Amino acid sequence: MAPDALQGIVRQQTNPARWNGKAWSAFVADLQALGVEVAESAATRGIFATDAGGTAYGLPHGVVIAQSATQVSALLKAAQAHCVPVTVRGGGLTTEGESVAYGGVLLDMTGMSRVLAIDPVTMTVRTEAGIYWHGLAEELRRENLDYLSAPLNMTSSVGGTLGVGGIDVNSARLGCSADQAISLQVVTPTGEIVECSDNENAELFQRVILGYGQFGVITEVTLRIRPYTPLRMHYYYYSSLRTAIEDLQLLDRNDASDYSGILTIMDCAVNLLVAFDSDEREAAFKANWQQRLRGYGEFGFALCMAGHYALRPWRIGEALYLFRRKQAVFPEFRRPEFHRDGRMDDRTVVFSRAVWKHWGSRNMVIPDLATSADKFIEAVERGNKVCRKFFRHYTLYCVGIRLRPEHKPHYEMSCVPPDAEGWAYGCEFEPMIEGEVYSRDHFQSFKNAIYDIGVDLGASYYRFGGMMKGYIRRVFGDALVDRHLAMKRQADPAMILNRDVIF
Amino acid sequence: MYSTAHPRDYPACSGCSLCRLVCPMWRHRRDPRFSPEGIAKARQNGAGVTELADVLDACTLCGACDPVCPEDIALSDMIMDLRGELELPPDLAVLQVGYAQAAAQAAPAPAGALLLAGAALRADPTLLTQVEALLGLRSAGDDGADLAVALEIGGDIDPQRKRRFLNAIDGRSLVVGDGLLLRELRRWLPGARLQGLGEALGSLPAIRRRIASTDFYVIEARAFHADHARLVAHYDGLRKDRGCAMNLDLQRIAMPARASAYPALRMGPAREDLEQARWLLQGRRPARIVIEDAAERDVLRRVADVPVLHLAELAALNEVTVYA
Ligand SMILES: Cc1cc2nc3c(=O)[nH]c(=O)nc-3n(C[C@H](O)[C@H](O)[C@H](O)COP(=O)(O)OP(=O)(O)OC[C@H]3O[C@@H](n4cnc5c(N)ncnc54)[C@H](O)[C@@H]3O)c2cc1C
Ligand code: SF4
Ligand code: SF4
């Protein structure tokens, strides 16, 4: 048995069964009487037929566009009464079908996407939870403010992100987005509207944060914010992934940079990005750490690669691929309209545009592994081997996540691996589809092979819900899952909220 | 059909939602149906034009969605094509006929480079005279205003009418006031030297040097997005040169000052226009607002208590006053 293809794991390759529609009409009539619109046209339902992953498909019976906590509360109360499943969706950027509704109601949170108050004194913002991080950035930037950390994807929503994690290239320093939340307004599965934080209804707060929407719908959020600074970006190039990861972890351990992460083009062309909010931090890095990094600058690396391929002319195809990829992707990261005086205005705009343009397609197949710092290199190397088996070209994105010891209860049964102390590390494995046609089974087998590594290593995953549900008991163990299931049953007696995502 | 053949159409939509971020009709309603993504996805699910009528009718054709779509779907073309299958809004159909009659009676175009003023600029004769003087151009009596309406409402364009219009202007340098017409002229006359009014005026040193760092500069969205890759550099240069704030979002997409459908044709601002204009100015404290499109003056005046000046009007100002 190959270590990266464990046998005996039940492969969950299909969508969950579609809800049978029992009592749908009575449910809709109840909601209509309360003034809640349920859109039932195929055109509206079709908007939500899949998620960013594009491998799970399901249609809701109807769509409710979130308007207010009161409306969401009415919806959930009626759903409990009629046992109608409700699937909550923010940006829909899940990849395992977690935000796809297999019947029942799809609750689209982007309807609640207004900023409610910005407080530059306490450095906080109160916002509706369906807002896209990019929408929030647009509003904060008018006041010369910024959020702390968010996915490098403009269309992830705040609420959806707090439910799953939220990793930025500054997470090695500032932690995940979920750790930035000070308090939440939550509508519980039975329809109560509750404010919660570390000090108020703390248990609910702990379960909702990183909780994949199992314990309530997040309708409003208070987040920490900070003064806006454009950032100065540096790129270092490596031909060894292991060396790059060692250097990444060195920087993170020593708080040597404000932003750090690894993005590969190929196994032999690895890019470590390092960036700074201020000249002082940049100067300190240059004085103390830069010379310890083993990567090259762009020109040095190009020479290195030229030498490498000159000695291996039979690998000209690989060299050409590398060159083409560089020509296509690099300019995207350097577009002058997104830079001023050598500084990048908005990392999320630059990275998100590049990701959708050069990696995106109707299938975002991006399985990941989240491990403790010391297991990370092994996880990445094993994952890489799996990628090689399934695809010609693929890229990796690796980043550190600073953990907050006081948030340990939030991390229980989440993407944060149970054995991680100080930092967790995440690696996303992303095949380049490049116009090729692969079967859904091919994608699924690839994902399973990556996820198997997580089971073997005792790791966790950024995306562990939806079609990955089969892994949850294996990675977290029956005792923990049963404890959470009991809490879920108590909070959601009819088990209507985001059913089939985790339990 | 006015749009050229597209390599990419609605089936290519991946549902990334990037187009929602820039779409004024989505911003106003926060309803996914009212977005290019909503239309593309609805089409993928078999929705016909009748089902989409409200959405198609709400689109401002600002073109902001086109440059942001990573799948390169020609979204505003898709909307224009679909609008062609809807019933024409009666008031605008009447407007189109009126403009067409005026065009038929217009004197032949004067020789040389021309200004195609468009309806909004024509509605302000003093401003039009200023623009002509500044650019050193004469206006064509037939500026294609009826064609611009037809493009906007998805009405039919008589091929003979189109040929007559194009024959009269082909081979000339043109400054075009109507963003939608400009966009189409780039396709109809691929080799022609064409500029939008904002770009032409903003390139004049006498105007450019009067743009102050305390100004809020409102780019006309349609002309901008129709040639985004090139113009983004032009306006970036202007912003760096003059230090003024602009109606560009973080993706360097121009937020139009108005969010209602047919903004240049229905001159009076609607409620969503006021909301959109307020959003444009939120968190900004400019000393003046400078506009490229005369049709945006009214709405901005209603929400701001600072002067709202057309680019052409800057030339008449004393430079000292500007920088004082
Ligand atoms: C191209 C691409 C790039 C990505 N880049 C990054 C990255 O850089 N960093 C990163 O961290 N992630 C990244 N992701 C993953 C993605 O950003 C996260 O899954 C995302 O933050 C989820 O936000 P969302 O709004 O899309 O949530 P959704 O996908 O809509 O939902 C996620 C889960 O939360 C639930 N949910 C949604 N809204 C609420 C709510 N208001 N209340 C309760 N439950 C809710 C849903 O039911 C679902 O189970 C990327 C994904 C893609 C496709
Ligand atoms: S930007 Fe393009 S691909 Fe993305 S959702 Fe909109 S139409 Fe679809
Ligand atoms: S043209 Fe403008 S209003 Fe119309 S769909 Fe595109 S972004 Fe929205």
Side-chain angles (χ1 to χ4, degrees), chain B residues 77-97:
Chain B
D77 281 339
M78 169 183 83
I79 293 167
M80 287 161 79
D81 286 349
L82 291 171
R83 260 193 191 173
E85 295 174 43
L86 291 176
E87 246 174 65
L88 300 185
D91 57 333
L92 302 182
V94 170
L95 196 67
Q96 184 192 3
V97 172

Side-chain angles (χ1 to χ4, degrees), chain A residues 228-245:
Chain A
Y228 164 69
T229 50
L231 56 91
R232 201 180 276 282
M233 191 70 92
H234 298 268
Y235 300 105
Y236 299 91
Y237 299 89
Y238 295 75
S239 53
S240 153
L241 188 54
R242 175 176 279 264
T243 313
I245 294 175

Side-chain angles (χ1 to χ4, degrees), chain A residues 37 39 41-52 59 65 90-91 93 108 110-114 131-132 134-135 137-139 141-143 153-155 335-341 345-346 349 352-353 356-357 360-362, chain B residues 10-18 20-21 26-33 37-38 41-42 44-45 47 51-52 67-72 228-229 232 236 239-240 248-252 255 275 278-285:
Chain A
E37 186 203 342
S41 73
T44 309
R45 294 183 296 135
I47 297 175
F48 306 99
T50 186
D51 60 1
L59 278 183
I65 295 167
L93 293 182
D108 174 18
T110 62
M112 284 184 76
S113 52
R114 286 174 172 81
I131 194 167
Y132 295 121
H134 179 75
E138 290 279 3
E139 300 234 6
R141 222 50 78 70
R142 301 276 180 101
E143 310 294 334
N153 194 318
M154 289 188 275
T155 48
R335 290 174 63 121
E337 68 268 28
F338 299 129
H339 292 80
R340 231 179 283 190
D341 306 326
D345 275 348
D346 189 294
V349 167
S352 179
R353 282 171 52 101
W356 282 111
K357 210 167 178 72
S361 76
R362 289 179 74 173
Chain B
Y10 65 83
C13 173
S14 67
C16 69
S17 303
L18 294 181
R20 278 198 218 178
L21 299 173
W26 180 78
R27 207 196 130 65
H28 179 62
R29 295 174 180 79
R30 315 287 165 134
D31 181 330
R33 291 168 287 196
E37 176 190 11
K41 286 279 164 198
Q44 285 180 5
N45 284 277
E51 241 178 299
L52 294 170
V68 299
C69 176
E71 298 296 335
D72 283 335
H228 184 257
V232 81
D236 209 35
R239 183 178 59 129
K240 283 181 182 147
L248 293 177
D249 69 5
L250 296 174
Q251 295 194 72
R252 306 292 177 253
M255 295 168 269
E275 200 181 286
R278 278 193 201 101
W279 157 239
L280 228 59
L281 293 168
Q282 185 181 307
R284 310 191 201 269
R285 290 147 205 96

